Each structure stands twice: as structure tokens, then as C-alpha cells.
Amino acid sequence: MINNNQLEALVQRIERLEDEKAVLTVDISEVYQEAKGVGFDPKILRKVIAIRKQDQAKVKEEAAVLDLYLQALGMTPLEVAIAKEAEQ
Amino acid sequence: MINNNQLEALVQRIERLEDEKAVLTVDISEVYQEAKGVGFDPKILRKVIAIRKQDQAKVKEEAAVLDLYLQALGMTPLEVAIAKEAEQ
Amino acid sequence: MINNNQLEALVQRIERLEDEKAVLTVDISEVYQEAKGVGFDPKILRKVIAIRKQDQAKVKEEAAVLDLYLQALGMTPLEVAIAKEAEQ
Amino acid sequence: MINNNQLEALVQRIERLEDEKAVLTVDISEVYQEAKGVGFDPKILRKVIAIRKQDQAKVKEEAAVLDLYLQALGMTPLEVAIAKEAEQ
DNA sequence: CACTGGAAAATGCCGC
DNA sequence: GCGGCATTTTCCAGTG
């Protein structure tokens, strides 16, 4: 026995979110189009974005390791937050 | 010679949009998790969503071929629009 | 250390298959050309093929979800196979 | 008025060819699988195939230019074929 | 934790 | 030569 209303609600929520996602995909394409219009090669631009993403991933990774070290040193989350603040 | 400011602005816009997209991806996963929590098999749920998506795709495909037929019959876009109106 | 002969054999097999695939791509184009020659609009024809393909995809998708339902009901693959047999 | 039999025959020929193409796609995947099974990284293998394809494309390009030269020198297609034969 | 299957992104191509 | 489409390839989650 399944709850139809519950199922339908879930399906609709997912579809709604996927629609929004599809809109963003189009938005992104449009920015690439615009970039092309002002002379930037979209293909290269995509590579630039990918590289930056990699970098950010590394930064987050390092931040996570830093957290681990700090926590291993007995610092509480609050202290960790303060320490992060101090980094900048 | 490239315009640095222009490039940076474009990159940031794209990254912003991709961030929003990533958020939606997470949101969708969470709905699937929630569904699992109330007893729906995520795998089946995904298939259900896929079937509904294919239904919609089929409808769009048929609408596209109808447009082509109308155009093949020598109807101009305006006439096509009118014909679409008449469908309803 | 890699086995050169083995690698070369694999590469050649793949290239052979891709050649055959490319031949089929050409063959398909030729049929579209032929169709055009006897008055069928290739664009519409492609859409017709696409619609039929989507029909088939939808059927397969539904069959897949049926399998999942059966499995969710605790039926073993054998039972699933029997159930499929019984469909016919 | 369209000729239904003719249309159906064309559609079936196209679908038949596309089926064969799909089979080859599977065959190719299987060779990659097999390669993986004996220790070759499929991803890298794909790159190797792509590079060789590029080379062949260049070779064909050069052959086409050669043909142009030969034809410019007043050689007929037959002579071109013979010249190719002689290359080997 | 490797692996399969499926979703998403990117490249290439064909028609206009 | 450009946009749109199809194919291909890459990525990732789920699974055993």
C-alpha cells in the first residue's frame, strides 16, 4: 500500500527542482553565448571555469584538513571559526 | 588583447549560476533521501521521473513534427501560430 | 611494462569497428538522400524516426520500472523472468 | 498524397541501419571492457584512438590535396587511382 | 573500494 | 559562418 498523495507531492517537488535546474543550464549557455559575442572563445572559457573549479576544490580540501588538525588540537568549533577569521 | 574586467565579470556570472545549479542538485538528492525515509525506493522513483520526462519529450517531439508538417505545407510562422491557437 | 602486441591488436579491433560504424553513418545519410529524391522531407523523416525511437525508449523504461517493482516485491530474477514470460 | 509503402520501407531501412550501428557501439564498448580486463586504462585508450584518428584525418586531407594536384595536372580519376596504387 | 549504470557536459557536425 | 542537434565522453552516485 502506497500513499499516493505523498508520492505525487514528492514527484512534483523533484520535477519542480529539475525545471529550475534546466533554467539555470540555459542561463549559463546564454552567458557563454554572450561571451562569444564579445570575442571570447567559449571552449577556452569553459576550460578556464574548470580549472578554477579545481583550484577551489583544492582550497576546500585544504580547509577541511586544517579543520581536522585544529580539532585534533582540541579546539572547539567556535575556536575553529575564530581561527579561520584570523587567517584572513 | 583581452578585456580583463569583462572576462572576470563573465567568469563570475557563470560561476554564480553554476553554484545555484549545484545547490539544486543537492536539493534534489535531499528530496530523494526524504522519499527513501518514508519508504519509497529512490531507484524506482527515479525511473518514474524518467518515464514522465519521456512522456513530455515525446509530446514536444510530436509538436515539433507537426510544426514541420505545417511548414512543409507552405504555412508561414504567423499561420503556424494561428494554427496552434486553433488546436486549443 | 605493457604488451605492445596486445595493445596494437585491441586498437586495431576498435578502429575496425569504428570504421564499420562510420560506414553505417554514411549509409544512413544516403537513405535520407534517397528519400529526399523521391519527395520526402529529410527533416520531417528524421523527426518521425525520433518519435518512433522515443516510443521504444518509453516502452523499455516502463519495462525497467516493472522489473524494479517486481524486485521490490521480493521476486527473484527467475521469478521476474517467468513473469515476463507470462506477459506474452 | 504520400506513398505509405515507400515511406515505411525507408523508415525501416533507416531503423535497421541504426540498429546495426547501435550493435557496433556495444561491440566497441566490449572491446574497451576487455582491454580494461587485461590492464589497459580505457580512458587513455580512447585518447590513443582519438589521436590516431586525427592523424588519419590529416593523411586523408593530404591525399585529397594530392588528388587536386593530380587532377590539375590533367590526370583522370582512373589515373589518380593508378597513381594511388603506385604509392604503395 | 572498485565497478556498473546513468546523468551531465563537451565536442563535433550538419543544415541554414 | 553560426546555431542547433546528435553523439560522445566524462563524471558521480549507488551497489556489491
Side-chain angles (χ1 to χ4, degrees), chain A residues 11-74:
Chain A
V11 166
Q12 283 176 2
R13 280 172 62 198
I14 291 167
E15 287 179 343
R16 176 79 204 285
L17 291 167
E18 289 195 338
D19 284 349
E20 290 178 33
K21 216 176 141 185
V23 169
L24 285 172
T25 300
V26 172
D27 289 349
I28 291 167
S29 312
E30 284 171 354
V31 180
Y32 278 111
Q33 280 303 104
E34 184 184 330
K36 189 179 182 179
V38 295
F40 293 106
D41 182 333
K43 199 168 169 178
I44 295 173
L45 198 47
R46 283 179 192 278
K47 294 217 183 291
V48 169
I49 299 284
I51 288 167
R52 284 168 60 101
K53 199 172 175 182
Q54 291 277 356
D55 284 345
Q56 288 167 11
K58 272 185 193 165
V59 168
K60 287 195 76 175
E61 184 65 27
E62 285 165 8
V65 173
L66 173 60
D67 272 6
L68 280 178
Y69 288 166
L70 291 174
Q71 288 180 313
L73 294 171

Side-chain angles (χ1 to χ4, degrees), chain B residues 47 54-55 58 61 69, chain C residues 44 47 54-55 58 61:
Chain B
K47 283 285 177 196
Q54 283 193 331
D55 281 344
K58 198 168 169 299
E61 202 61 67
Y69 282 143
Chain C
I44 292 177
K47 283 287 175 194
Q54 283 194 329
D55 281 345
K58 196 166 171 300
E61 201 63 66

Side-chain angles (χ1 to χ4, degrees), chain C residues 4 8 11 24-26 31-32 37 42 46 51 61-63 65 68-69 75 84 86-87:
Chain C
N4 294 300
E8 184 148 354
V11 166
L24 286 172
T25 299
V26 171
V31 179
Y32 278 111
R46 281 181 192 277
I51 285 173
E61 201 63 66
E62 284 167 3
V65 79
L68 285 174
Y69 282 142
M75 300 177 73
K84 278 184 174 174
E87 280 180 42

Side-chain angles (χ1 to χ4, degrees), chain C residues 32 45-53, chain D residues 11 14-15 18:
Chain C
Y32 278 111
L45 198 45
R46 281 181 192 277
K47 283 287 175 194
V48 169
I49 299 281
I51 285 173
R52 287 167 60 101
K53 200 171 175 182
Chain D
V11 166
I14 291 167
E15 287 180 343
E18 290 196 339

